[in-house]
């Protein structure tokens, strides 16, 4: 695990890009924030799901109420 952030899930509060929403969430959880490029790599590697489906595009548009989840980043 690059970050020690594991078994996370959160509901998107405001529409935006997946990498952006994930960065905001991880920043609240972790003392060492991940860079956007590290998060983009996690997404491209298939580590992140949106509404239970793997999404590999960092720029994927999320809507309020979407559920983002991951096992380990």
């Amino acid at each position: 695990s690059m970050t020690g952030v594991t078994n996370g899930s959160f509901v998107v509060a405001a529409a935006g890009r997946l990498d952006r929403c994930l960065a905001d969430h991880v920043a609240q959880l972790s003392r060492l924030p991940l860079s956007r490029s590290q998060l983009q790599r996690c997404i491209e590697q298939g580590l992140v799901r949106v509404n239970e489906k793997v999404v590999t595009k960092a720029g994927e548009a999320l809507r309020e109420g979407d559920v983002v989840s991951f096992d380990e980043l």
Side-chain angles (χ1 to χ4, degrees):
S1 167
M2 283 201 295
T3 63
V5 176
T6 57
N7 295 330
S9 82
F10 63 96
V11 177
V12 175
R17 289 170 54 106
L18 174 56
D19 56 355
R20 191 62 229 241
C21 294
L22 190 59
D24 290 346
H25 177 71
V26 169
Q28 294 164 18
L29 293 185
S30 170
R31 270 182 243 112
L32 27 150
L34 277 183
S35 73
R36 182 87 75 90
S37 63
Q38 284 174 299
L39 286 173
Q40 287 169 343
R41 262 201 306 279
C42 292
I43 293 165
E44 287 160 8
Q45 287 168 5
L47 301 180
V48 179
R49 297 181 300 280
V50 177
N51 302 327
E52 294 304 319
K53 291 211 311 256
V54 171
V55 170
T56 54
K57 253 177 46 202
E60 182 83 13
L62 303 186
R63 287 193 294 245
E64 187 179 332
D66 283 344
V67 177
V68 178
S69 55
F70 50 85
D71 299 321
E72 192 168 14
L73 295 179

